[in-house]
Amino acid sequence: MAEYLDILMFAALVLAILSGFPVAFSIAGTAILFAILGWALGVMNLNLLGAMSQRIFGLLTNNVLIAIPLFVLMGAILEKSRIAEDMLDTMGRSFGQLRGGLGISVILVGMLLAASTGIVGATVVAMGMIALPTMLRAGYDPRVASGLVCSAGTLGQIIPPSTLLIILSDVVSNSYQQAQYEQGKFSIETISVGQIFASALLPGLTLVGLYILYVLIRGALRPQDLPPAPSDLPRPPLAEVLQAILPAILLILAVLGAILSGIASPTEAASVGGIGAVLMAAVKAGANRRFLLIGTACLILLAIGAGLFPVRLQRSDLTGGDYALGALYVLLTLAGLAAILMALRNLIAEKVLQPALNSTLTMTSMIFATILAAGIFSLVFIGLGGEDRVHGFLAEMPGGPMGALVFSMLFIFVLGFFLDFVEISVIVLPLVLPALILMGHDPIWLSVLIAINLQTSFLTPPFGFSLFYLRGAAPKEITTGQIYAGVAPFILIQVLAVALIWFLPQIATYLPRVMF
């Protein structure tokens, strides 16, 4: 039994999580119990756990992961301020008269919300409460409507910026470095968040295109499933459409543009997104629009000016022009700060900021607690010989490197039926990725394949999170069976997207190669 403790440990972890006990405690508790059992049986050295303090310190000082709470806050503010609802309503009225138009609008809004919030739960619940009743009133098949809402809501995991991609970039970068060390290289290359974001952008848009293509084909073959919206739903004027979607698009361009262009780190870009969301939400809540626009313009001018013409006031060779420019920067900073403070005051008065902060703290605590617990689990798993077993198993797979990759993708897909993407990312991937990279697979291409695979875990019964979110927000006439049946075609579309990127890797590797 002692030689199979690593396998038993993984099986015990799945059972502990399925029991409904809190995930972080299940992971850490299982690891500690098996560490003691391994020590008692003489196959585990408990001194290995001394490395845990280093892992905790590394996690809490990780510049990449610090961006997570800021991106979560950005999405929470946009959701609590009902900006997402305005986008859904406006886009629904824009496309409603087309056959399948409401479905296309749900997909497009899901894409915009994905790039501006990155929070699956918020997107699915918002669309379940607003778009789903509209589609049902228009005569949509309940299964199609449910599947559209669930799948469009999960786009937040593959379209950057997203929590999944940030965690994945850290895991892939560490695995890539580990693989290089094992190859005897001492000049180590790393993979940045910007590269992962760039690699996921075109695949994410490809997935959106496949969803829309499915809606159009189904609308043509089975028009009774996706009829046009009622004619009493007036088409909004162009100005209203731009007012609803333009702020979100500008926020997306600011955040992604800053990261992909190399102007800002992910954490800095996430802080830009957080401030932008605060200002947008304050305008929506009725704050002084002119004052906020002036403050926003000052912040933009400050960012451009400080980037092009930096002034360091501590230097001794400054000219009068430098001092004047420094004074201008100070004034721009004060004007921007005044706008931010007024926006925060307005959001507090409207009770938007408090629930957004609560949501951010809850989600961030869950993610970081899971990553910390996974650090304990991986240490014990390595101590019990699990890492060597995984590497040996993949190396002996029939079909060589491709066979190992096929098995790994199927294994991750099956785990997605039972585990959350965070658990799979921080427990399974660090064990599998180094071996796959050593076999010659491109780490950036691998990360996109795995990201879409992990996104599918939100849709797969019985524990797909999107299914639970929609079940809580959907009208009573929608049954759980209809939700499960509705997501089935979209799971197949996800598999098709993985196959496309598998056989056309340029979809994932073109942008990172050009931009980095």
Side-chain angles (χ1 to χ4, degrees):
M1 174 181 137
E3 60 182 294
Y4 297 110
L5 273 183
D6 51 343
I7 298 174
L8 292 173
M9 178 182 173
F10 200 88
L13 170 65
V14 174
L15 290 175
I17 291 174
L18 295 181
S19 70
F21 200 68
V23 169
F25 297 125
S26 296
I27 297 171
T30 303
I32 291 170
L33 285 174
F34 273 82
I36 295 171
L37 185 59
W39 171 75
L41 295 174
V43 295
M44 169 79 186
N45 184 358
L46 288 183
N47 290 333
L48 189 63
L49 294 179
M52 197 59 227
S53 57
Q54 279 183 303
R55 291 201 170 201
I56 294 172
F57 181 77
L59 172 67
L60 298 179
T61 56
N62 189 314
N63 288 327
V64 172
L65 298 181
I66 290 172
I68 289 176
L70 292 168
F71 278 127
V72 173
L73 176 64
M74 180 178 83
I77 289 174
L78 291 180
E79 186 238 333
K80 302 298 181 186
S81 62
R82 301 187 179 279
I83 291 174
E85 290 187 17
D86 283 356
M87 289 172 59
L88 274 170
D89 177 65
T90 306
M91 295 289 281
R93 288 185 285 125
S94 299
F95 289 92
Q97 299 306 311
L98 296 173
R99 188 171 298 282
L102 283 176
I104 293 172
S105 72
V106 166
I107 294 169
L108 292 177
V109 171
M111 177 187 71
L112 288 174
L113 291 178
S116 55
T117 69
I119 303 175
V120 170
T123 307
V124 172
V125 169
M127 291 198 291
M129 296 176 68
I130 304 162
L132 187 56
T134 305
M135 286 191 283
L136 294 176
R137 283 197 302 271
Y140 271 54
D141 185 300
R143 293 169 299 179
V144 176
S146 301
L148 280 167
V149 169
C150 284
S151 55
T154 63
L155 290 171
Q157 292 306 305
I158 186 62
I159 295 179
S162 83
T163 305
L164 166 62
L165 294 178
I166 294 172
I167 296 173
L168 195 59
S169 69
D170 185 60
V171 172
V172 170
S173 184
N174 291 336
S175 299
Y176 186 40
Q177 292 175 59
Q178 182 182 334
Q180 291 174 89
Y181 280 126
E182 292 184 22
Q183 289 172 332
K185 295 180 180 178
F186 297 100
S187 178
I188 300 298
E189 296 178 14
T190 60
I191 293 174
S192 68
V193 177
Q195 287 173 285
I196 298 297
F197 279 7
S199 68
L201 195 55
L202 289 180
L205 296 176
T206 301
L207 195 57
V208 171
L210 290 174
Y211 283 175
I212 293 175
L213 186 63
Y214 166 73
V215 169
L216 293 173
I217 292 173
R218 180 149 185 169
L221 297 178
R222 294 181 58 87
Q224 69 275 17
D225 287 352
L226 298 99
S231 56
D232 60 349
L233 202 65
R235 185 185 295 272
L238 180 62
E240 185 181 346
V241 175
L242 291 177
Q243 187 177 354
I245 67 171
L246 197 57
I249 291 174
L250 292 176
L251 187 64
I252 294 164
L253 292 176
V255 174
L256 284 184
I259 295 173
L260 297 180
S261 64
I263 295 173
S265 69
T267 307
E268 293 164 344
S271 63
V272 169
I275 293 298
V278 165
L279 294 170
M280 283 171 56
V283 170
K284 175 76 171 57
N288 188 317
R289 179 173 298 192
R290 179 175 295 179
F291 187 74
L292 290 177
L293 287 176
I294 291 172
T296 303
C298 289
L299 290 172
I300 293 171
L301 288 173
L302 176 64
I304 296 172
L308 295 176
F309 308 105
V311 175
R312 291 169 175 80
L313 296 176
Q314 69 271 27
R315 292 178 54 171
S316 58
D317 59 344
L318 294 177
T319 64
D322 292 328
Y323 280 112
L325 196 57
L328 175 63
Y329 289 167
V330 170
L331 290 174
L332 291 174
T333 302
L334 292 174
L337 182 60
I340 293 169
L341 291 174
M342 192 186 86
L344 290 172
R345 179 183 173 187
N346 183 269
L347 294 183
I348 291 171
E350 297 292 328
K351 293 191 169 43
V352 171
L353 189 62
Q354 298 92 318
L357 290 174
N358 282 335
S359 176
T360 301
L361 287 170
T362 302
M363 186 169 293
T364 304
S365 301
M366 179 198 74
I367 291 171
F368 277 81
T370 304
I371 296 174
L372 279 173
I376 302 173
F377 186 92
S378 62
L379 270 179
V380 177
F381 192 76
I382 291 168
L384 294 174
E387 186 178 40
D388 294 334
R389 186 188 297 275
V390 170
H391 287 196
F393 184 76
L394 290 176
E396 294 171 6
M397 283 293 298
M402 278 300 171
L405 181 56
V406 170
F407 171 79
S408 301
M409 293 294 288
L410 289 173
F411 183 56
I412 292 168
F413 180 75
V414 172
L415 283 179
F417 283 79
F418 309 102
L419 302 181
D420 181 26
F421 78 93
V422 178
E423 296 146 28
I424 298 174
S425 298
V426 296
I427 295 173
V428 179
L429 295 187
L431 302 172
V432 172
L433 278 175
L436 293 175
I437 294 171
L438 280 170
M439 291 177 179
H441 293 297
D442 184 336
I444 291 178
W445 176 68
L446 265 180
S447 66
V448 175
L449 289 177
I450 291 170
I452 297 178
N453 202 343
L454 288 174
Q455 180 200 354
T456 310
S457 69
F458 278 85
L459 299 174
T460 46
F463 298 109
F465 275 68
S466 280
L467 312 178
F468 286 133
Y469 293 139
L470 184 61
R471 177 65 279 167
K476 292 181 180 178
E477 61 265 26
I478 297 288
T479 66
T480 303
Q482 287 173 328
I483 295 175
Y484 284 3
V487 298
F490 292 94
I491 294 173
L492 295 177
I493 292 173
Q494 299 275 137
V495 174
L496 175 61
V498 170
L500 268 177
I501 293 161
W502 188 298
F503 293 109
L504 295 172
Q506 298 86 353
I507 298 174
T509 58
Y510 174 73
L511 270 185
R513 187 172 64 247
V514 169
M515 301 184 73
F516 295 92

